[in-house]
């Protein structure tokens, strides 16, 4: 039974062999952005896989959509857990923008 660990949350879940990383994230309560529901239509579910050998290799459709040089980035709705794997979920762009704004405000407040 593969064990999937999600960073930066550090949440871990045991899943059935072949479970997609998106499904594992949902079971673990980890937020992965998606709009298409897992049919490779939105490309919003990208995650960084630490050990690519522990997940299924990208199929033709995913390779075409992700392009060459995707590095360890995978579509979580397509990558299936085949072994213990650690996955890094990128920060939501909206949350990142809010966090940066709050950090700037805090710095400005500290100046006074
Ligand atoms: S969920 Fe839309 S591409 Fe993966």
């Amino acid at each position: 039974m593969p064990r999937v660990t999600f960073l930066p949350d550090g949440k871990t879940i045991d899943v059935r062999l072949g479970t997609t990383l998106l499904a594992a994230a949902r079971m673990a309560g980890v937020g992965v952005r998606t709009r298409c529901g897992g049919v490779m239509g939105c490309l919003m579910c990208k995650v960084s896989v630490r050990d690519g050998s522990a997940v299924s290799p990208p199929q033709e459709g995913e390779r075409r959509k992700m392009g060459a040089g995707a590095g360890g980035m995978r579509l979580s709705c397509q990558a299936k857990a085949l072994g213990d794997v650690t996955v890094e979920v990128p920060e939501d762009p909206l949350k990142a923008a809010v966090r940066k704004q709050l950090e700037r405000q805090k710095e400005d407040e500290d100046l006074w």
Side-chain angles (χ1 to χ4, degrees):
M1 186 171 261
R3 174 164 288 181
V4 183
T5 301
F6 293 96
L7 300 176
D9 293 1
K11 290 184 179 175
T12 298
I13 189 164
D14 293 330
V15 297
R16 287 186 181 184
L17 189 71
T19 301
T20 66
L21 298 180
L22 180 61
R26 285 179 174 158
M27 286 187 267
V30 173
V32 173
R33 290 171 13 114
T34 173
R35 188 169 287 162
C36 72
V39 295
M40 241 185 340
C42 68
L43 307 183
M44 295 173 73
C45 66
K46 293 175 191 168
V47 294
S48 177
V49 177
R50 291 258 171 106
D51 180 6
S53 65
V55 295
S56 61
Q59 299 298 304
E60 175 61 27
E62 184 182 1
R63 278 201 301 270
R64 199 172 350 102
K65 292 205 173 204
M66 293 292 282
M73 296 303 283
R74 295 292 308 273
L75 294 176
S76 64
C77 66
Q78 301 302 308
K80 296 178 176 130
L82 302 179
D84 294 350
V85 61
T86 300
V87 176
E88 188 157 352
V89 179
E91 186 176 24
D92 182 294
L94 181 59
K95 280 186 184 173
V98 170
R99 183 180 47 73
K100 283 180 186 168
Q101 182 64 33
L102 290 172
E103 286 171 0
R104 267 187 243 122
Q105 285 179 345
K106 173 105 173 76
E107 286 172 14
D108 290 347
E109 288 171 8
D110 289 345
L111 292 174
W112 293 95

